[in-house]
Amino acid sequence: MITDRPLTDWLPITKKEVESRGWSELDVILISGDAYVDHPAFGTAVIGRILEDEGLRIAIVPQPNWKDDLRDFKKMGEPRLFFGVTSGCMDSMVNHYTASKRRRSTDAYTPGGDASFRPDYATIVYTKILKKLYPEVPVLIGGIEASLRRVTHYDYWEDKLFPSILKSSGADMLVYGMGEMPLREITRLASKGVPFSSMRTIPQTAVLVPKSEALPKNKNWEDLTLSSHETCLKDKRAFAANFKHIEQESNKVRAKRIIQSIGEDQLVVNPPYPPMTENEIDTSFDLPYTRLPHPKYNKRGSIPAYEMIRFSINMHRGCFGGCSFCTISAHQGKFIASRSEDSIVKEVDAVTKMPGFKGYISDLGGPSANMYKMKGKVQSICDRCVAPSCIHPVICSNLDTSHKPLTEIYKKAAAHPDVKKAFVSSGIRYDLLVDSYNKKHDDSLDEYMDQLVSNHVCGRLKVAPEHTSDNTLKVMRKPSFKHFHEFKKRFEKANKKHGLNQPLIPYFISSHPGSEAEDMANLAAETKEMGFKLEQVQDFTPTPMTVATIIYYTGLHPYTLRSVYTAKSKHEKKKQHLFFFWHKRENHHEIREKLTAMGREDLIDKLIADKKRHAKQEFVKQRKKQKQRKHSKRR
Ligand code: SF4
């Protein structure tokens, strides 16, 4: 993308750019598995801009070559304070492999979508290289890969438990969650000359402390000791039980400090910072991003992940849904940190001035589109809460689910003179929008639905019921499918009112813990009856630090320690996935066989009955009967 902005508008990524700023030394060097896109949706840019805001001289080394003579790791020299390492916006293994562990041929975070620009387990590989080249320089790891691998975790790709990534990588400190607050504190201390070995009580960080040393003291924190890494290796039950504590402490206002023994060390995971205030999150989003990829990539093709969010706006962070398969709350927290209306409207204006903007905002969203500004009515109740979800198994009576502030922002964005349409493409929580589930809602839902349906749907609306079986939905921490039926009716009514015909696109997952092949057959029949031919479907992938992953590995639910069935073999998973595609003729024979084997012949007609053939068979049967009748009369 060609712009006439000076190169100094971006953070430097080459030695020449560093020198052109007159810097002979850098304070911090960030190593990232992603290409550098200077946009608030890309973690490396956020951290880079925060450090710059702290007055530090920083440079980014995006996607360094880890296979050659390591010149990319050497070109910027040694930073004065520390190296910061991240795999990028995704866990490198999720980025590289499909649910069936097949290597992907593209990478959305690389120019041209090219694959192979980052190693597997990127955080570990980069950190080990840095520790070899610069053993004296501290390495700080962060981003989703480090964050979700902070304690003993299951790695699906190696099919075994890994210890904290601090241990596997040799890094000095780990920042989990969204890094702004801890990063500011770390850099302030580091700038004052405090060594990393003395920074052991910074919230939202984790460190390894040798067992020969006393644990650092903080009188405000209680400790919670998990089963050791070694115990987890031997005992799946102990590993499963650990997770309940980890999840609860990650989502508490006043969390405990987590301690876990690993060999000769103790892992210390300090409690998180409180959710960011409006002012703090605005400050982060209002930093001077160019909102563009670095010009170095101009000739290498577009970056698919950037193209997706180029004209979009993220309005809040966090998610209180607590879905079992999702990592958002483990990384961003359960409490919603929302930007101010002013900051969002200012960004809408900035987007309209971007090169290539044609009047369409692609998303006014967030991790779940319709949680903006939602929080507990009485904060002191939330302060004591340990629930992993505010909306499952029922919507908490203390949760304020008003959609008013969100509707106001939609209206303001739509009213901008240069905006033709401002779409909502992030998934919405449909359960918040139905009377049967959100029983105590205020009077804001009708207006929200009207505004959404009439102005903000880009052709089709994405929603994620994820399954139709109540048993599976319970394991998923999702509401019963009957509420989706109600939402469909409501959505269609709103469409009719506005003379529109916008379809719903439901998302579903197969082979999630709790889902049996028969549940998938029922799913296929029920969604067919509703008029859906499914397209947005996926097979469950066990990613680190989710309830569903713990069940997948241990066979136990971490909260009850009771067994839960999970389809694990290729054969079982394929069988479940097959039912999504009942409409493909080539699957009919297999589906018929499977339904017969499970004694569900009743679904054969519903799902794959060939009407013509059925009518012909019926005709032949009737003729036969007639002939028999005639014959017996004659006799
Ligand atoms: S009290 Fe209710 S609203 Fe507050 S955190 Fe707990 S579940 Fe959520």
Side-chain angles (χ1 to χ4, degrees):
M1 186 176 309
I2 314 291
T3 73
D4 49 9
R5 299 182 77 133
L7 206 50
T8 45
D9 280 1
W10 283 264
L11 297 168
I13 64 170
T14 63
K15 184 80 181 153
K16 217 164 132 198
E17 286 166 60
V18 171
E19 285 165 356
S20 73
R21 291 176 177 230
W23 295 345
S24 57
E25 187 192 32
L26 288 160
D27 297 313
V28 178
I29 298 172
L30 300 179
I31 310 282
S32 169
D34 289 343
Y36 167 39
V37 179
D38 191 38
H39 187 285
F42 291 77
T44 309
V46 177
I47 297 306
R49 290 293 178 187
I50 292 279
L51 296 174
E52 181 191 45
D53 192 50
E54 287 290 321
L56 299 180
R57 295 161 301 176
I58 92 121
I60 298 173
V61 180
Q63 303 192 311
N65 190 335
W66 71 101
K67 292 183 268 191
D68 63 0
D69 58 3
L70 307 179
R71 68 187 68 173
D72 285 344
F73 291 86
K74 298 175 193 159
K75 66 183 180 188
M76 300 288 188
E78 200 175 304
R80 190 173 64 87
L81 300 179
F82 61 88
F83 283 106
V85 169
T86 173
S87 70
C89 290
M90 289 173 78
D91 186 286
S92 54
M93 302 308 283
V94 179
N95 183 304
H96 291 170
Y97 297 93
T98 64
S100 56
K101 301 190 185 178
R102 266 211 306 274
R103 184 113 195 154
R104 296 183 202 274
S105 55
T106 56
D107 180 339
Y109 292 87
T110 304
D114 293 341
S116 310
F117 275 78
R118 98 188 74 214
D120 285 358
Y121 304 109
T123 308
I124 296 174
V125 173
Y126 295 155
T127 305
K128 281 189 168 166
I129 290 172
L130 292 170
K131 280 292 174 193
K132 208 162 154 199
L133 294 174
Y134 309 101
E136 303 306 322
V137 183
V139 176
L140 179 64
I141 55 176
I144 200 123
E145 182 167 280
S147 184
L148 301 184
R149 292 174 182 266
R150 57 187 183 260
V151 292
T152 298
H153 57 279
Y154 172 67
D155 182 89
Y156 170 61
W157 300 272
E158 287 282 321
D159 191 21
K160 62 181 190 192
L161 293 188
F162 281 8
S164 164
I165 195 168
L166 270 170
K167 192 82 172 172
S168 327
S169 65
D172 298 85
M173 188 186 280
L174 180 156
V175 166
Y176 67 91
M178 307 305 275
E180 289 105 326
M181 305 304 286
L183 244 295
R184 285 195 190 270
E185 182 63 10
I186 292 163
T187 50
R188 273 177 211 148
L189 291 173
S191 300
K192 282 186 198 156
V194 177
F196 265 59
S197 56
S198 301
M199 291 186 218
R200 287 175 171 175
T201 51
I202 300 174
Q204 221 169 301
T205 64
V207 289
L208 287 175
V209 177
K211 281 184 181 157
S212 53
E213 291 177 24
L215 283 180
K217 287 207 167 59
N218 184 319
K219 60 179 176 1
N220 298 319
W221 296 341
E222 259 180 71
D223 284 349
L224 187 149
T225 304
L226 300 177
S227 294
S228 70
H229 177 66
E230 291 73 18
T231 304
C232 291
L233 292 178
K234 288 184 287 199
D235 180 356
K236 286 188 173 176
R237 211 175 170 80
F239 172 65
N242 268 0
F243 186 79
K244 178 181 165 188
H245 300 301
I246 296 162
E247 188 179 54
Q248 286 184 334
E249 298 310 318
S250 310
N251 286 324
K252 266 192 198 165
V253 175
R254 284 190 245 298
K256 292 179 183 159
R257 179 170 73 168
I258 290 176
I259 314 286
Q260 188 186 30
S261 160
I262 314 174
E264 296 309 304
D265 293 316
Q266 305 231 58
L267 169 71
V268 178
V269 183
N270 293 328
Y273 276 93
M276 286 169 96
T277 62
E278 187 177 273
N279 194 25
E280 284 164 351
I281 194 166
D282 279 359
T283 305
S284 177
F285 275 88
D286 295 347
L287 290 169
Y289 301 98
T290 58
R291 302 182 62 88
L292 298 166
H294 191 279
K296 180 186 155 191
Y297 305 125
N298 284 346
K299 292 190 183 133
R300 283 182 53 194
S302 58
I303 300 170
Y306 171 68
E307 292 306 318
M308 255 186 79
I309 55 88
R310 194 170 154 194
F311 303 124
S312 74
I313 288 158
N314 181 12
M315 304 197 291
H316 64 272
R317 288 182 184 159
C319 179
F320 49 69
C323 298
S324 301
F325 47 84
C326 180
T327 52
I328 291 172
S329 66
H331 187 64
Q332 297 195 1
K334 173 175 85 165
F335 297 101
I336 306 297
S338 301
R339 297 170 65 188
S340 68
E341 197 179 283
D342 265 8
S343 169
I344 294 168
V345 171
K346 224 164 74 191
E347 195 179 350
V348 170
D349 193 55
V351 170
T352 64
K353 294 185 172 57
M354 282 175 66
F357 181 72
K358 297 203 167 60
Y360 299 96
I361 303 263
S362 59
D363 188 21
L364 285 172
S368 285
N370 54 333
M371 288 189 183
Y372 178 68
K373 286 259 160 107
M374 289 184 191
K375 58 184 173 59
K377 294 171 198 157
V378 181
Q379 185 54 41
S380 58
I381 301 179
C382 299
D383 289 351
R384 297 190 302 272
C385 180
V386 293
S389 166
C390 303
I391 53 177
H392 190 270
V394 291
I395 296 186
C396 171
S397 55
N398 189 39
L399 183 70
D400 179 358
T401 61
S402 173
H403 282 59
K404 267 196 190 92
L406 190 54
T407 311
E408 286 312 308
I409 294 206
Y410 287 0
K411 285 183 182 169
K412 286 214 165 127
H416 190 288
D418 296 328
V419 172
K420 290 180 190 150
K421 280 275 179 200
F423 297 119
V424 177
S425 324
S426 298
I428 61 157
R429 284 297 303 216
Y430 78 83
D431 42 1
L432 290 173
L433 296 169
V434 290
D435 301 336
S436 58
Y437 197 66
N438 191 358
K439 291 186 179 131
K440 293 189 181 146
H441 65 79
D442 64 357
D443 57 359
S444 64
L445 295 194
D446 285 337
E447 194 190 1
Y448 175 77
M449 274 299 273
D450 267 355
Q451 182 68 26
L452 176 77
V453 169
S454 59
N455 276 300
H456 303 282
V457 177
C458 185
R460 319 178 317 162
L461 185 74
K462 291 192 301 192
V463 273
E466 307 292 9
H467 216 291
T468 57
S469 143
D470 279 357
N471 278 342
T472 311
L473 286 165
K474 204 167 149 203
V475 181
M476 288 177 157
R477 294 191 185 138
K478 287 287 221 181
S480 163
F481 195 65
K482 67 181 182 207
H483 303 294
F484 182 72
H485 280 275
E486 191 191 325
F487 177 73
K488 187 168 178 279
K489 274 190 222 143
R490 188 170 191 163
F491 182 69
E492 283 165 359
K493 199 170 147 199
N495 269 286
K496 208 165 162 196
K497 179 173 164 191
H498 295 282
L500 295 162
N501 184 20
Q502 307 171 116
L504 274 182
I505 303 295
Y507 282 45
F508 290 98
I509 301 180
S510 60
S511 297
H512 188 278
S515 170
E516 310 223 7
E518 192 174 343
D519 296 324
M520 292 302 297
N522 287 328
L523 182 154
E526 190 165 353
T527 52
K528 183 185 176 188
E529 211 174 308
M530 293 172 83
F532 293 118
K533 230 181 216 180
L534 304 181
E535 45 177 279
Q536 294 297 337
V537 294
Q538 56 170 311
D539 200 24
F540 167 65
T541 308
T543 55
M545 216 168 160
T546 71
V547 176
T549 299
I550 305 295
I551 301 175
Y552 176 90
Y553 170 67
T554 63
L556 302 169
H557 194 290
Y559 281 69
T560 60
L561 297 180
R562 287 207 196 108
S563 311
V564 178
Y565 164 79
T566 307
K568 288 179 88 169
S569 71
K570 249 188 187 165
H571 171 73
E572 288 171 303
K573 282 162 160 269
K574 205 175 147 233
K575 190 166 153 191
Q576 295 215 6
H577 203 69
L578 180 77
F579 284 105
F580 285 139
F581 302 104
W582 53 266
H583 43 89
K584 292 192 174 171
R585 189 162 273 280
E586 64 266 29
N587 292 336
H588 284 190
H589 176 68
E590 214 177 330
I591 287 179
R592 189 183 306 267
E593 267 185 5
K594 303 249 179 295
L595 289 173
T596 310
M598 60 175 79
R600 292 300 308 268
E601 290 89 346
D602 58 308
L603 292 182
I604 295 178
D605 266 5
K606 282 194 183 166
L607 268 184
I608 53 172
D610 181 334
K611 283 187 185 149
K612 271 190 195 160
R613 201 161 54 92
H614 195 71
K616 204 172 159 189
Q617 278 172 349
E618 209 37 47
F619 178 73
V620 174
K621 232 165 53 189
Q622 293 304 332
R623 285 291 299 265
K624 220 171 162 183
K625 272 187 190 164
Q626 277 173 4
K627 272 187 189 167
Q628 275 170 351
R629 257 184 257 135
K630 271 187 195 168
H631 187 67
S632 52
K633 267 185 192 169
R634 261 189 241 133
R635 280 202 301 181

